[in-house]
Every structure is written in structure tokens, then in C-alpha cells.
Amino acid sequence: MATIAPGWRLEVERGPDWLIVTLDCDHEHEWDSPPLADAVWEILEQHFTYRVVLDLGRVQMLHTWLLGQLVRLHHRAAAHDGVVRVCGLSERNRDVLRSCRLDGYFPSYHDRAEALFGSTTPPKPR
């Protein structure tokens, strides 16, 4: 687990051709603004991939600075033909994405499996 600022941690897991990064925050540090985009970008470069699923299930509220970091990361990944997907958002945080008109940039998936497949419907057997 990497600490990116006091009270902010990233858990990183490797999936097939993807990294799964879980953002975790102590509630008392919720208003601190860590360099999320830079920290995740550095991890992506270390793993030689630009495809990431951000698990935001532990984030209480998507504040504007966090949305800005997500957009910055999205632009960096897109410039390298990469993908940023999010999962685990509460209904409240999904509404925040919708109201900021960022749901097109960050389609929200219920869990990691959906995000990795890129669909909310399970894959059909062949």
C-alpha cells in the first residue's frame, strides 16, 4: 500500500493487462488534496501499462479537486492510448459524476469485474 499524502493510500493489484488501484482515505483527511494523478501515473509507468481501474468504493465524496485529478489522469492515459475506468461509486458519487457531465469520461461500473470487461452485462459463454 502506497501513501500519497497524509491519510491517503493506494492499494495496487495487477490484473490481466490492467492495474486495479483502490483509493483509501481517512475521513479526517478527506479535504486534503493529494497528487493522485501523478501518483497513479507513476505506478502505471512502473508496470508498463496505461489501463487502470480505479476502485473508489472507499471514497466518501467526489470533491472537485478529486474530479480534477481524475480528468488529468484520463487525459494522460488517453494520450498513450490508455483507459481509465472507475468502479465502486456510491449512488451519491455517481450523481456527482452525472451532474458534472463526467459520466461519459468515466462510466461507472459496479465492481472490478464489470470494469475489467467494460460492460455491465456478464460475458456470454461461447
Side-chain angles (χ1 to χ4, degrees):
M1 185 175 311
T3 300
I4 58 174
W8 288 90
R9 292 168 302 284
L10 296 177
E11 292 177 21
V12 180
E13 297 175 50
R14 181 87 180 165
D17 300 322
W18 289 84
L19 283 185
I20 303 164
V21 177
T22 302
L23 183 61
D24 194 7
C25 170
D26 296 333
H27 298 296
E28 65 215 37
H29 295 281
E30 187 174 28
W31 293 99
D32 296 343
S33 52
L36 177 67
D38 293 337
V40 172
W41 186 255
E42 186 176 314
I43 293 167
L44 291 172
E45 287 188 320
Q46 289 172 358
H47 287 272
F48 302 105
T49 187
Y50 300 106
R51 299 164 54 105
V52 62
V53 172
L54 295 174
D55 186 339
L56 302 177
R58 298 179 188 166
V59 174
Q60 295 294 313
M61 182 66 182
L62 287 177
H63 298 288
T64 54
W65 64 263
L66 182 53
L67 291 171
Q69 291 292 302
L70 293 177
V71 169
R72 184 173 178 200
L73 180 61
H74 169 77
H75 287 304
R76 286 178 94 171
H80 288 84
D81 296 321
V83 177
V84 177
R85 295 182 180 162
V86 297
C87 71
L89 290 176
S90 66
E91 195 59 41
R92 177 179 171 190
N93 284 338
R94 286 182 196 198
D95 289 341
V96 169
L97 273 184
R98 250 187 312 268
S99 67
C100 294
R101 298 184 181 186
L102 292 174
D103 50 335
Y105 285 100
F106 304 103
S108 178
Y109 299 93
H110 291 289
D111 57 34
R112 296 171 179 196
E114 279 185 6
L116 290 173
F117 283 114
S119 172
T120 56
T121 57
K124 296 179 181 175
R126 295 181 182 203

